[in-house]
């Protein structure tokens, strides 16, 4: 039987949860971004600043809500075939571009054809290779007309997948899946998305001005929900290269911005004066070891460190926004509507066993032809006191194994450069995903991931992840993810230390601004609650 999802009920539930005073006037909003956007072309934009702004200028078939749930956007409903391969979307009848022209299914067809056109140079095309014939078109082996995305009518869009993908609906909320008006695109003559007059969106705001220090958006009167929006405008302030993360918090505290995402170190001070605070435990910090050209190339050495990790003293010293981790995937991650951790268990790590640790360490040293490990370096990002928490483990390793690590605390830019170049032995690293799935976390260790700084490569691990994402049965998918997660733990590639909660703080006037803790996208619409 076909699954059918209708959104009117979802809309009413969503609106009933928003505490918006009737008759409240629209307000201007202000938000800081660290870098200027590169371009505002949804199909080619790859940097965070560009995607954040695109999220307000355009709207895809679906939106991602504050808690990662799917919400209606350009589509008012959709159906899925029994085999999970064919999706049919009915577009909103009142969907309009900011120039008043109607949004049609063909606008989405053209957008996906652009996504898989090599000339677009999209960094995200590979995420959508589950669509029928997409990879072959991307490689130039088939014409764009063979893509499994068709306009059945002006309001009905069909997307056919070549294989089931549990991520697919979530992918439709991201910027590469947003529509593109073909006539307008052709009129830009290769300058689409590169300046204010080269952008035409269908989202809640339109681009008012694009300057060196700020980008200003104003409410789009053609947007279907504009009458319920509490935000009249959004100004994105582009910070200078000298500004730090703390500068955004200070500017929010001084009333210069309407919202700020923060790691929790100063959240108590930021939550004053009626400010609204939401949080999500969406990040895991741990030790990542280089598996090649490193003193920790031996799996037995890495496993020894896992067995020789007693977290008792460290756990007592952690602040409220950090909690001891006993697995890699954070607590908030779901598979469908179910908690991944509840499905597979919360504790996958080894227990403290110093005798087993000494045995493995001795074996590992012999395998590497070493008597001891000297001059090994641990990289630590500055600003959160990680070096202080690690000291509790370091003392145990010194006592039990005679291992001494040189700790280098680095500012963000140098830290990232050293990680990317592989110039480290081990490092304290954070893992989080840009969507809510175990895959988003674990795939950072897959063989072809650009985020894989460890050098770990395993065909078996890659196959487990592929099997999980293509598995429609959520419990079976969870077990494949668990096996992959356990493989990383058992091989000592990543030693989890603690989970971190991220916080999003909004001012009283901007209290209905919403934040997706997975994608880091901000919904500035401030939709008015319906009775």
């Amino acid at each position: 039987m076909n699954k059918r999802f209708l959104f009117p009920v979802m809309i009413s539930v969503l609106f009933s949860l928003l505490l918006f005073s009737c008759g409240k006037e629209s307000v201007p909003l202000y938000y800081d971004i660290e870098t200027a956007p590169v371009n505002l072309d949804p199909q080619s934009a790859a940097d965070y600043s560009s995607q954040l702004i695109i999220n307000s200028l355009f709207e895809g078939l679906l939106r991602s809500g504050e808690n990662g749930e799917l919400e209606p956007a350009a589509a008012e409903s959709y159906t899925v075939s029994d085999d999970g391969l064919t999706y049919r979307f009915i577009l909103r009848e009142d969907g309009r571009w900011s120039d008043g022209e109607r949004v049609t299914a063909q606008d989405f067809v053209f957008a996906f054809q652009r996504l898989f056109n090599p000339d677009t140079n999209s960094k995200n095309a590979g995420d959508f290779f589950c669509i029928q014939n997409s990879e072959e078109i991307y490689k130039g082996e088939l014409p764009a007309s063979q893509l499994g995305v068709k306009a059945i009518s002006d309001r009905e869009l069909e997307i056919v997948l070549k294989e089931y993908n549990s991520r697919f609906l979530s992918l439709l909320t991201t910027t590469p899946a947003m529509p593109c008006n073909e006539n307008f695109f052709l009129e830009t003559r290769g300058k689409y998305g590169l300046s204010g007059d080269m952008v035409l969106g269908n989202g809640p705001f339109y681009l008012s001005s694009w300057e060196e220090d700020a980008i200003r958006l104003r409410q789009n009167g053609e947007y279907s929900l504009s009458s319920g929006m509490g935000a009249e405008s959004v100004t994105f302030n582009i910070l200078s290269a000298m500004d730090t993360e703390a500068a955004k918090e200070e500017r929010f505290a001084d009333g210069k911005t309407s919202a700020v995402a923060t790691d929790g170190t100063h959240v108590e001070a930021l939550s004053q004066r009626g400010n609204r605070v939401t949080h999500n435990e969406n990040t895991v910090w741990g030790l990542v070891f280089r598996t090649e050209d490193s003193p920790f190339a031996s799996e037995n050495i890495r496993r020894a460190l896992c067995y020789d990790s007693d977290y008792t003293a460290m756990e007592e010293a952690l602040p409220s926004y950090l909690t001891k981790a006993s697995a890699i995937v954070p607590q908030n991650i779901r598979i469908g509507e179910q908690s991944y951790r509840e499905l597979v268990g919360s504790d996958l790590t080894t227990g403290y066993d110093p005798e087993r640790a000494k045995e493995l360490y001795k074996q590992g040293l012999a395998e590497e032809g070493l008597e001891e490990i000297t001059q090994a370096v641990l990289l630590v990002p500055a600003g959160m006191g990680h070096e202080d928490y690690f000291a509790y483990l370091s003392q145990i390793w010194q006592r039990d194994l005679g291992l001494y690590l040189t700790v280098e605390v680095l500012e963000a830019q140098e830290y990232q450069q050293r990680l990317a170049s592989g110039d480290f032995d081990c490092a304290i690293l954070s893992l989080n995903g840009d969507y809510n799935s175990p895959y988003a976390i674990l795939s950072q260790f897959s063989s072809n991931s650009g985020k894989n700084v460890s050098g770990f490569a395993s065909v078996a691990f890659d196959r487990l992840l592929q099997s999980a994402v293509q598995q429609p049965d959520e419990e079976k998918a969870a077990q494949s993810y668990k096996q992959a997660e356990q493989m990383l733990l058992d091989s000592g590639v990543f030693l989890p230390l603690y989970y971190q909660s991220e916080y999003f703080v909004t001012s009283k006037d901007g209290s209905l601004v919403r934040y997706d803790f997975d994608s880091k996208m901000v919904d500035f619409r401030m939709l008015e609650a319906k009775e």
Side-chain angles (χ1 to χ4, degrees), residues 17 71 73 114 122 136 193 262 278 289 313 351 379 411 459 465 475:
L17 295 175
E71 297 178 358
R114 286 196 62 235
S122 173
E136 291 80 1
T262 177
T278 55
F289 296 93
L379 301 188
E411 295 300 326
V459 172
L465 290 186
E475 294 190 5

Side-chain angles (χ1 to χ4, degrees), residues 7-23:
F7 288 134
V9 173
M10 292 176 60
I11 295 175
S12 63
V13 171
L14 169 66
F15 285 156
S16 68
L17 295 175
L18 297 177
L19 305 178
F20 193 87
S21 301
C22 294

Side-chain angles (χ1 to χ4, degrees), residues 214-283:
I215 290 181
R216 295 175 177 85
L217 314 184
R218 294 193 64 82
Q219 187 181 118
N220 174 17
E222 298 291 340
Y223 181 62
S224 58
L225 300 178
S226 61
S227 61
M229 287 170 53
E232 71 174 34
S233 63
V234 184
T235 299
F236 293 93
N237 302 306
I238 303 170
L239 301 182
S240 71
M242 300 301 293
D243 287 316
T244 64
E245 188 69 25
K248 291 196 294 186
E249 296 180 354
E250 292 170 3
R251 285 170 53 79
F252 175 80
D254 291 340
K256 296 178 180 178
T257 59
S258 307
V260 64
T262 177
D263 59 22
T265 51
H266 303 107
V267 70
E268 186 174 346
L270 296 175
S271 62
Q272 306 300 317
R273 298 195 300 268
N275 295 335
R276 175 176 178 259
V277 180
T278 55
H279 69 94
N280 192 300
E281 192 175 81
N282 61 352
T283 299

Side-chain angles (χ1 to χ4, degrees), residues 30-196:
Y30 302 87
Y31 197 75
D32 287 343
I33 54 178
E34 296 179 16
T35 58
V38 175
N39 74 72
L40 299 177
D41 174 356
Q43 277 67 59
S44 66
D47 61 293
Y48 174 71
S49 293
S50 297
Q51 292 177 340
L52 178 66
I53 296 170
I54 288 170
N55 195 59
S56 287
L57 295 173
F58 291 81
E59 192 161 68
L61 294 165
L62 306 174
R63 270 187 174 271
S64 181
E66 188 173 30
N67 298 310
E69 70 279 11
L70 295 177
E71 297 178 358
E76 65 179 21
S77 67
Y78 66 91
T79 61
V80 187
S81 62
D82 290 339
D83 60 7
L85 298 181
T86 302
Y87 293 73
R88 285 205 173 187
F89 298 87
I90 304 299
L91 302 189
R92 300 177 65 99
E93 189 170 3
D94 56 359
R96 295 287 187 274
W97 294 98
S98 59
D99 64 357
E101 185 178 338
R102 186 176 179 183
V103 176
T104 69
Q106 184 58 38
D107 294 324
F108 285 93
V109 173
F110 181 65
F112 278 108
Q113 289 178 345
R114 286 196 62 235
L115 179 64
F116 301 118
N117 185 334
D119 293 339
T120 304
N121 193 30
S122 173
K123 306 300 183 185
N124 302 299
D127 291 338
F128 293 83
F129 280 168
C130 58
I131 296 177
Q132 188 180 71
N133 295 332
S134 57
E135 189 169 5
E136 291 80 1
I137 292 169
Y138 185 78
K139 293 178 179 178
E141 298 170 359
L142 287 175
S145 60
Q146 297 299 306
L147 184 64
V149 183
K150 307 290 183 184
I152 306 302
S153 68
D154 280 353
R155 289 188 59 204
E156 187 171 3
L157 178 74
E158 179 183 84
I159 303 179
V160 179
L161 308 186
K162 67 177 180 181
E163 58 195 14
Y164 175 80
N165 189 311
S166 60
R167 297 175 52 203
F168 181 64
L169 288 175
S170 295
L171 286 170
L172 295 181
T173 69
T174 62
T175 56
M178 293 179 179
C180 182
N181 185 300
E182 183 174 4
N183 289 334
F184 181 84
F185 173 80
L186 294 176
E187 290 172 1
T188 64
R189 300 180 182 274
K191 297 181 180 179
Y192 184 62
L194 296 179
S195 63

Side-chain angles (χ1 to χ4, degrees), residues 312-387:
T312 305
M314 182 193 76
E315 187 172 7
E316 293 176 354
L318 295 178
S320 60
Y321 55 87
L322 299 176
T323 58
K324 166 69 181 66
S326 52
I328 297 175
V329 177
Q331 299 288 340
N332 79 306
I333 299 299
R334 303 186 308 273
I335 293 184
E337 298 303 316
Q338 302 186 75
S339 164
Y340 169 69
R341 292 266 63 104
E342 289 181 4
L343 285 171
V344 305
S346 296
D347 191 351
L348 303 184
T349 55
T350 61
Y352 177 52
D353 187 344
E355 296 307 315
R356 177 64 172 149
K358 292 174 184 177
E359 177 184 340
L360 289 169
Y361 195 66
K362 182 177 179 181
Q363 292 176 13
L365 290 176
E367 291 167 358
E368 297 298 315
L370 300 172
E371 293 185 4
E372 61 181 350
I373 293 178
T374 59
Q375 299 180 332
V377 174
L378 170 73
L379 301 188
V380 179
M384 284 187 63
H386 295 295
E387 61 275 20

